[in-house]
Amino acid sequence: MRRPICSKCGVHLNICACEACALVPNRTGVSVLQHPTEVGHAKGTVRILAQCLTRLDLFRGETPEDLRQAGFYPQTDTRNSALLFPGPGSDTLESSDLSHIHHWIVLDGTWRKAARILHQNPALAALPRFHFANPPASAYAIRKAPGEHQLATAEAVAYLLSVVEPELDTQPISRAMETLVDKQMAQIPTRLHKHYR
């Protein structure tokens, strides 16, 4: 018997959050560079962004050649752009003048794999770079973050947009995240829930 797969996000209907997604009409462009190992990951959150954001581009790859083949060209796709990724030389998002930035690039993958994308793409490393000073607590209980105050990709983009477009309602992303977590938790035996929450 074939597994029931969602035609929109490509995952099993038992863990699909598309029903909870609603449009978020962001004016600010967002490009997600997704590590290839994240493609089709059952716990991935980029598919929520793909269903919610009106301005989102998704490129999959690790090396410059990978990303070019996916349609991302750093020489032309990074004008008036900034990178959301903490580290040396990054500035605090909440206290910076962001008026000149109209496009954000976000890396999707484990921290090590996201750092690998950055390391292999000098054009990204040359961009203005920002990190969160006071991010909200993550509700993404189903996948462990390597450090405190670190967010899933969908949570990070929602918070980013709430800072750069304070009038924008990003709650549809949060609600879809809650649905994703609830559906994933429903697949885990109750006795093991204490390890996740």
Side-chain angles (χ1 to χ4, degrees), residues 34-109:
Q34 185 178 53
H35 194 274
T37 58
E38 291 296 307
V39 178
H41 199 297
K43 296 179 181 178
T45 65
V46 170
R47 64 181 187 268
I48 288 174
L49 295 176
Q51 294 294 322
C52 291
L53 295 184
T54 56
R55 294 196 63 197
L56 175 76
D57 292 308
L58 175 59
F59 304 97
R60 291 171 173 139
E62 180 180 316
T63 67
E65 181 58 28
D66 292 341
L67 293 172
R68 277 193 296 273
Q69 288 183 1
F72 180 78
Y73 300 94
Q75 294 80 3
T76 57
D77 291 345
T78 56
R79 295 185 187 129
N80 299 316
S81 297
L83 178 68
L84 179 66
F85 197 77
S90 67
D91 292 318
T92 303
L93 182 85
E94 294 91 335
S95 60
S96 297
D97 177 9
L98 307 174
S99 58
H100 60 293
I101 299 171
H102 306 297
H103 175 233
W104 287 87
I105 296 172
V106 179
L107 308 181
D108 179 61

